[in-house]
Amino acid sequence: AQSVAQPEDQVNVAEGNPLTVKCTYSVSGNPYLFWYVQYPNRGLQFLLKYITGDNLVKGSYGFEAEFNKSQTSFHLKKPSALVSDSALYFCAVRDGGRGNTPLVFGKGTRLSVIA
Amino acid sequence: EAGVAQSPRYKIIEKRQSVAFWCNPISGHATLYWYQQILGQGPKLLIQFQNNGVVDDSQLPKDRFSAERLKGVDSTLKIQPAKLEDSAVYLCASSPLYPPPSSTNEQYFGPGTRLTVT
């Protein structure tokens, strides 16, 4: 069975500083890893994904994530945070070797970027 | 390309009443998912369809929840009777069955329906 852990309920960062939102995962097969962002009263928006290849994945709005197989982590990062990045962030995993499987999500991390 | 459509966006009902949600996936997407997102938690799968067949409904509380996708396009999710703990956002997502080779077949989410049971 797959699982995702997001150890921080809330991350606060000053505008212009780098940000990191942590995620660790567990999956029996090949990990397909995703980050989604959710703004108030909006659905989930896809940010980026890791399937295979380069461990550093670049996504939308300047976000990137680093896949670390030995630590089973997929932390989300951004070099310089913006106030508009304030939102709820979800890490998700699915077993890539089993076709169209559903996503298993972490509980989410609320990012607050302070001006 | 139009996204995943859901209606209504908001619904308030009393416990023991019935409610239905509707989802229209992205055109051509064979796989459709319903997720439940309780406040403070990540979304959890309720049911997955491929065309008009159920792939996974192991986490659907079948004594009160039902879902159908009769023509393999849009879908409805029903709760009857509702309980207080059903208060949540119900998210619909879709994905293609045969994605392009470079794709991961990621899921596209609708805006959700926020249900409040009083």
Side-chain angles (χ1 to χ4, degrees), chain A residues 46-112:
Chain A
F46 170 79
L47 274 181
L48 52 76
K49 64 194 178 193
Y50 170 83
I51 305 305
T52 186
D54 195 346
N55 288 344
L56 184 63
V57 177
K58 294 188 183 298
S60 307
Y61 313 119
F63 283 93
E64 57 189 30
E66 186 166 11
F67 171 67
N68 187 316
K69 187 174 182 179
S70 62
Q71 297 185 6
T72 61
S73 67
F74 190 57
H75 300 331
L76 180 70
K77 300 181 179 183
K78 188 173 183 181
S80 178
L82 300 173
V83 172
S84 58
D85 293 330
S86 299
L88 191 55
Y89 290 80
F90 290 96
C91 181
V93 67
R94 70 177 186 89
D95 186 342
R98 295 182 57 234
N100 249 0
T101 52
L103 294 167
V104 174
F105 288 86
K107 63 179 174 59
T109 298
R110 186 165 301 281
L111 173 66
S112 179

Side-chain angles (χ1 to χ4, degrees), chain A residues 1-6 23-28 30-36 44 74 89-96 98-108, chain B residues 33-36 41-46 48 56 58-59 93 105 107 109:
Chain A
Q2 295 93 270
S3 66
V4 172
Q6 292 181 245
C23 170
T24 58
Y25 68 90
S26 173
V27 65
S28 55
N30 292 328
Y32 282 12
L33 293 154
F34 303 80
W35 276 100
Y36 284 84
L44 292 168
F74 190 57
Y89 290 80
F90 290 96
C91 181
V93 67
R94 70 177 186 89
D95 186 342
R98 295 182 57 234
N100 249 0
T101 52
L103 294 167
V104 174
F105 288 86
K107 63 179 174 59
Chain B
Y33 311 80
W34 282 101
Y35 290 86
Q36 180 192 56
Q41 300 180 18
K44 293 182 180 178
L45 180 75
L46 289 175
Q48 176 184 349
D56 183 353
S58 57
Q59 299 187 73
N105 204 24
Q107 297 173 22
F109 284 82

